[in-house]
Amino acid sequence: MIVPAEPESLARLAEIHATIDRAARDAGRDPASVKLVCVSKTFPAEAITPILAAGERLFGENRVQEAMEKWPALRAAYPGVELHLIGPLQSNKAREAVGFFDCIETVDREKIARAIAEEIQKSGRHPRLYIQVNTGAEPQKAGVLPQEADRFITQCRKDYGLTISGLMCIPPVDDQASPHFALLNKLAERNGLADLSMGMSADYELAIQLGATHVRIGSALFGHR
Ligand SMILES: *Cc1c(COP(=O)(O)O)cnc(C)c1O
């Protein structure tokens, strides 16, 4: 069941920003180098509006369809919204995703790279693109395997003419997250990628220590899903 919006989320938002700032400073980083992606999946517009009214403009959704139902009205009411797709993308949804999102964080296989490249050509829209890396090599999880990441990034660039801006990962739930974050950082660095989307409600401080530029926070902000 979805819990409706409560002003509580505003207190939580302030706390999250304070934590981000502290974690960045502790790591010797500029707090402005860490962006909060508010993960609003499953939450209705009423829960999202107070967060928009508080000034947040960066949001993450994991389903194309859900985002396309919820966000047109919210975007019209609050200019400057930037929407990230953080869930798996099917190639038959590539057109909608390229047309609707400002950043697709889940590019992870050749078929998707090709479909996205085609839609970029047709539409002239250029969403930012991140490669999702399956750092834990979990069979059920999306993402390119770490040992194939370099080759896939090169393939996206050379064969499909895509501009890749960053990497994203979701560490295995039962693992220590730090080796996964460190690995993603290393892969980004050696491929010249500036954006590192890693860290969720439970581990975003650690992710900031290890170089995250985008932390994706859902439940710590909006409450339980
Ligand atoms: C749901 C989700 C999040 C947010 O997770 P929380 O633990 O609720 O902060 C972050 N990233 C992805 C890819 C997600 O699907």
Side-chain angles (χ1 to χ4, degrees):
M1 207 188 84
I2 289 164
V3 181
E6 301 199 345
E8 256 166 63
S9 65
L10 292 181
R12 290 193 290 247
L13 178 64
E15 216 171 285
I16 289 164
H17 275 299
T19 305
I20 290 174
D21 279 22
R22 179 164 17 86
R25 285 185 217 285
D26 286 352
R29 301 181 55 198
D30 177 1
S33 68
V34 184
K35 298 207 166 63
L36 169 61
V37 180
C38 304
V39 176
S40 49
K41 67 186 187 197
T42 76
F43 286 94
E46 304 82 77
I48 302 170
T49 301
I51 303 299
L52 282 161
E56 297 303 316
R57 288 296 179 271
L58 190 45
F59 289 82
E61 289 281 346
N62 69 335
R63 289 165 181 272
V64 176
Q65 200 57 43
E66 181 186 340
M68 289 179 74
E69 285 162 19
K70 269 185 348 202
W71 279 95
L74 290 169
R75 267 179 165 159
Y78 295 92
V81 164
E82 208 183 298
L83 270 189
H84 285 219
L85 178 63
I86 61 171
L89 179 59
Q90 306 301 323
S91 51
N92 63 3
K93 288 270 164 64
R95 172 170 309 172
E96 282 96 333
V98 167
F100 197 75
F101 287 90
D102 303 290
C103 178
I104 299 173
E105 296 202 10
T106 51
V107 182
D108 70 348
R109 56 196 190 279
E110 189 173 358
K111 193 174 176 197
I112 284 297
R114 187 187 309 122
I116 287 174
E118 276 175 22
E119 295 306 331
I120 285 174
Q121 282 237 315
K122 280 190 214 156
S123 67
R125 275 186 49 93
H126 291 267
R128 293 175 78 79
L129 301 174
Y130 299 170
I131 306 288
Q132 181 177 354
V133 182
N134 185 357
T135 55
E138 294 172 280
Q140 81 287 4
K141 197 167 272 176
V144 63
L145 292 171
Q147 64 270 26
E148 285 160 16
D150 295 328
R151 191 195 53 79
F152 182 61
I153 293 162
T154 303
Q155 183 178 46
C156 285
R157 289 170 163 164
K158 294 252 161 71
D159 297 354
Y160 296 104
L162 295 174
T163 301
I164 305 297
S165 304
L167 299 179
M168 180 272 236
C169 76
I170 311 169
V173 276
D174 298 327
D175 267 19
Q176 283 258 30
S178 40
H180 298 275
F181 295 155
L183 172 60
L184 202 70
N185 192 337
K186 192 174 86 177
L187 289 172
E189 204 166 308
R190 75 171 180 232
N191 285 283
L193 298 169
D195 290 357
L196 265 185
S197 174
M198 57 191 198
M200 318 201 302
S201 290
D203 53 18
Y204 65 99
E205 291 180 69
L206 185 62
I208 291 167
Q209 258 176 49
L210 292 165
T213 62
H214 293 72
V215 291
R216 308 179 309 269
I217 300 184
S219 49
L221 174 58
F222 290 104
H224 285 295
R225 287 184 292 272

